[in-house]
Amino acid sequence: MQAGQRARNVFVVLWVAVTALKAIVAARLPLFVDEAFYWQEGRHLAAAYSDLPGLTAWMTRLGVELAGHHAFGVRLPFLLMGAALPWMVAGLSRRWFGARFGWQAGSLTVLMPLSATLGILAVPDVPMAFAAVLCLDAGARLLRGVDAGSALMLATGLLLGALSHYRFIGVIGVGFIALLLLPEGRRTLRDARVWMALTVGVIAWLPLLAWNLDNQDAGLKFQLVERHPWAFQVSGLWFLAIQPLLVTPLLCLAMWQAGAAGIRPAPAGQQRVQWRYFALVGGVSTLAIFLLGFFTDVERISFHWPLPGYFALLVAVPLILGRWPRVWRRLAWAMALAGLVLAFGYYLVAASPLLREQLAGNKYYPRNFAGWQPLADAVREELSAMPQDTRLLAGSFKVGAELGFLRADASIPVLPHPLNDKHGRTAQLALWKLVDEGRRSVPQLLVLAPGDQRYRDLLERYHQVCALVGPLPPPRVVSIDHGYQRFLLFRLPAGRREGPCITPAMAWIDAPLPGTAAAGAVEVKGWAFKDGVGLDAVEVLLDGKAVARADYGADYDVTGFWKISTDPNHPRVGFSARLDANVLPPGRHWLGLRLHGADGSVEDWWEQPLDVPER
């Protein structure tokens, strides 16, 4: 009893501290681009959408209606669900393994990085995980004996899961397999009350099925075909490597031991039946996802996919840890706590402009969280200087959704963009009549985010935009975090201008390389061009200030790669300049370019680090 009370006290302290921290982060962190789109869906209420069933959008709408139009309001229902999950896991484990182990399972759920951060973002994985644990609890109860309450819990979990994500089909399949593999499970499946619950779960998929039938199966094609290569990829090994880091290595080992111990033959007993059930659900689920990782989408975030299976294994993990030597047991808890700190540290960095800037140039730079408020401010300034009937036009769904949230306008039209297709949003935007093909009778303010495109495809994208809206006027550049988040704002006149395609400038610094230690005379050289009109001059910037005018116009033929480029200066687009590093104070500086177009445009290019060592 004393050990159970002590474990409960530890759980409550951890839960209160982590939940409070989650709420603080959720209030300060800008919306992730997917969250902004879910908010947009919530402003266009429907039974289902192109990318998801309806629950995520409904929850964002509910949160805003209850708490107000801000990031915390959007995330509030998800925070509440995420906060409930550790209690659910603790209650499930307590029921079958006792109070001490149950509260420890709850504490591990609070600490494990993947589950600890669940609810900070308004994403469908939160209601999906909530539904998965409900179904797991219901299945364990049904193995003991079928009753109306357990059947109702199962029906509720199946209903919420069907309304959360297409991937919940996998949760259902794994649960069904686990029940079929157990004699008690096969007996359970013969009960009519269980089939009534399953019927509710089937009916819950009808809105999504109806949406797909009405829209040429666009959602199903995206989720099951278009986003996945369905061919073996060695890069799937990265998925296997990152999982122990995301759940912490020793906790990952303990979960696999819990699964193996549960499946091994052992003396029969009520507790044993439940443990086998948890082990089968968790083991089959995580193993299947690991194998699928070699064939499915590796470009977008998928590290959270095994989470429902991890919850099933966490229920029994305290029993495994109890068998470990004390030093390893304590190390497992310490590593989980360290993982929690690192996970929250990343979100806190993303929420802080000053800290986020330190990640500029790093592959972990949180670009999808960055720069939206400065962009919204710049858009407001530009629109105030344009005619009153000016319309806002976004270059992709990301820009449209983020600006829409910050401007409380869920109907900003967007240009066709490969990103809209890649994320399964084109069909939904078309249903809302928000796909703009570039025809206009009033002025427009066009907002592009060059970083949304791979650099090698950026010039082609600019030409596609030209084909839609005409030659692009000189842009206003909104540069955040040394240009690692960058936006271009164009004032388009009411009528389409005719003429050759004029694009934003393109450039590259060949030397020095990023992060180079600079000493003495530093030669800065590279190439730059601007399709349609060309460049008049290139200035070298250091820490945002012009420090040298480059010699521009040297022979540097880049048309072998940029085959469609129409800069009239080709092949004389090379530049060079010299900097004296001896006059610079030691430390990190930022080297950039200011590109002057022949059309009067002035565009600051992104910056790269230049390190001056101590002398």
Side-chain angles (χ1 to χ4, degrees):
M1 180 66 73
Q2 186 177 4
Q5 185 61 41
R6 185 165 55 250
R8 181 185 185 279
N9 293 341
V10 170
F11 167 77
V12 171
V13 169
L14 287 173
W15 181 85
V16 169
V18 171
T19 302
L21 185 56
K22 286 166 69 172
I24 292 170
V25 173
R28 295 179 55 86
L29 187 69
L31 287 191
F32 188 74
V33 289
D34 286 340
E35 293 180 280
F37 193 77
Y38 301 145
W39 165 85
Q40 189 174 12
E41 289 178 326
R43 306 311 298 179
H44 298 86
L45 288 175
Y49 301 90
S50 66
D51 53 341
L52 289 175
L55 184 57
T56 301
W58 305 341
M59 289 172 64
T60 64
R61 178 65 176 270
L62 176 63
V64 170
E65 295 296 332
L66 291 176
H69 184 86
H70 41 69
F72 184 81
V74 171
R75 293 165 173 155
L76 179 59
F78 301 84
L79 277 168
L80 295 175
M81 270 192 176
L85 277 166
W87 290 93
M88 295 167 67
V89 173
L92 182 55
S93 183
R94 281 165 50 217
R95 183 172 297 109
W96 305 111
F97 303 121
R100 179 166 68 93
F101 291 138
W103 292 119
Q104 288 177 356
S107 294
L108 289 170
T109 307
V110 172
L111 293 176
M112 187 175 74
L114 273 184
S115 53
T117 54
L118 202 63
I120 290 177
L121 302 183
V123 292
D125 298 275
V126 181
M128 181 176 163
F130 188 91
V133 175
L134 271 182
C135 291
L136 184 72
D137 195 352
R141 292 170 186 254
L142 290 169
L143 289 171
R144 179 182 57 189
V146 179
D147 58 72
S150 299
L152 179 61
M153 180 182 288
L154 178 61
T156 303
L158 293 172
L159 174 67
L160 291 175
L163 295 174
S164 63
H165 204 290
Y166 286 85
R167 276 189 280 111
F168 195 74
I169 295 173
V171 176
I172 296 173
V174 168
F176 197 71
I177 290 171
L179 290 176
L180 286 176
L181 291 174
L182 296 170
E184 297 84 355
R186 294 191 291 272
R187 183 180 65 245
T188 296
L189 290 173
R190 289 194 290 267
D191 193 288
R193 288 168 292 184
V194 173
W195 284 99
M196 289 177 64
L198 293 174
T199 301
V200 171
V202 171
I203 293 172
W205 291 96
L206 292 181
L208 194 60
L209 179 62
W211 190 95
N212 279 279
L213 290 174
D214 288 340
N215 294 278
Q216 295 78 48
D217 296 327
L220 282 169
K221 288 177 182 176
F222 168 70
Q223 293 288 352
L224 302 180
V225 180
E226 294 169 356
R227 69 175 294 183
H228 303 296
W230 296 120
F232 182 80
Q233 308 166 92
V234 176
S235 55
L237 288 170
W238 173 246
F239 187 85
L240 297 178
I242 199 173
Q243 286 302 311
L245 298 178
L246 293 173
V247 300
T248 65
L250 289 180
L251 186 53
C252 185
L253 175 62
M255 283 194 286
W256 282 109
Q257 286 187 351
I263 294 172
R264 278 200 302 266
Q270 193 63 53
Q271 182 196 74
R272 188 64 199 172
V273 172
Q274 320 307 323
W275 193 344
R276 290 195 67 194
Y277 168 67
F278 298 140
L280 286 169
V281 170
V284 172
S285 173
T286 51
L287 182 60
I289 290 173
F290 285 168
L291 292 176
L292 284 172
F294 289 99
F295 302 92
T296 53
D297 178 18
V298 296
E299 292 187 22
R300 277 156 289 191
I301 296 173
S302 57
F303 57 72
H304 50 278
W305 287 10
L307 192 53
Y310 289 158
F311 282 129
L313 297 173
L314 270 178
V315 171
V317 160
L319 282 76
I320 298 298
L321 292 180
R323 302 171 183 175
W324 285 13
R326 176 179 294 183
V327 63
W328 287 102
R329 187 164 63 245
R330 289 183 173 179
L331 185 58
W333 283 92
M335 290 180 70
L337 179 60
L340 170 76
V341 171
L342 290 174
F344 272 94
Y346 180 79
Y347 283 113
L348 289 170
V349 167
S352 168
L354 291 176
L355 294 175
R356 189 187 63 230
E357 184 182 357
Q358 304 306 311
L359 284 181
N362 189 290
K363 65 179 180 179
Y364 298 110
Y365 174 72
R367 204 174 67 81
N368 281 320
F369 291 107
W372 300 113
Q373 188 58 57
L375 172 63
D377 295 339
V379 165
R380 185 178 63 253
E381 293 172 5
E382 290 295 301
L383 289 175
S384 68
M386 297 179 71
Q388 288 189 349
D389 60 348
T390 301
R391 295 174 63 238
L392 188 58
L393 176 62
S396 71
F397 87 90
K398 289 185 176 184
V399 176
E402 288 282 0
L403 279 178
F405 174 73
L406 292 172
R407 295 178 58 80
D409 180 2
S411 298
I412 296 175
V414 305
L415 291 176
H417 195 294
L419 272 180
N420 304 340
D421 303 330
K422 183 178 178 179
H423 291 264
R425 272 69 193 258
T426 297
Q428 192 60 59
L429 291 166
L431 284 176
W432 294 335
K433 299 184 176 7
L434 294 182
V435 179
D436 191 304
E437 297 292 344
R439 293 179 292 272
R440 62 186 184 274
S441 57
V442 297
Q444 287 184 330
L445 179 64
L446 171 63
V447 183
L448 300 183
D452 286 342
Q453 202 79 35
R454 290 184 302 183
Y455 189 61
R456 68 187 185 192
D457 300 325
L458 184 55
L459 185 62
E460 181 181 358
R461 175 58 186 169
Y462 286 153
H463 280 264
Q464 291 170 353
V465 173
C466 272
L468 291 168
V469 304
L472 296 172
R476 173 177 174 176
V477 179
V478 180
S479 182
I480 296 99
D481 298 335
H482 305 291
Y484 285 89
Q485 178 67 295
R486 194 164 168 267
F487 302 100
L488 304 176
L489 281 60
F490 303 88
R491 298 186 185 186
L492 302 179
R496 176 191 173 105
R497 289 194 305 153
E498 298 303 325
C501 177
I502 300 175
T503 72
M506 304 278 290
W508 194 261
I509 297 176
D510 289 330
L513 295 175
T516 296
V522 177
E523 185 176 12
V524 181
K525 60 182 181 179
W527 52 261
F529 64 83
K530 182 178 176 71
D531 275 10
V533 294
L535 293 174
D536 279 344
V538 174
E539 288 183 289
V540 176
L541 307 182
L542 198 65
D543 299 326
K545 297 179 180 179
V547 294
R549 186 180 180 93
D551 293 327
Y552 180 68
D555 280 337
Y556 198 132
D557 191 357
V558 296
T559 56
F561 185 84
W562 304 107
K563 293 182 173 62
I564 63 173
S565 181
T566 60
D567 186 307
N569 295 323
H570 284 308
R572 302 180 65 82
V573 297
F575 67 82
S576 62
R578 281 184 176 272
L579 299 179
D580 184 3
N582 291 326
V583 301
L584 300 177
R588 170 150 291 191
H589 298 269
W590 290 90
L591 179 69
L593 302 173
R594 182 164 290 158
L595 310 172
H596 296 261
D599 60 348
S601 62
V602 179
E603 304 173 42
D604 285 1
W605 197 244
W606 72 61
E607 302 171 342
Q608 64 183 49
L610 182 72
D611 295 326
V612 176
E614 293 284 348
R615 292 183 284 273

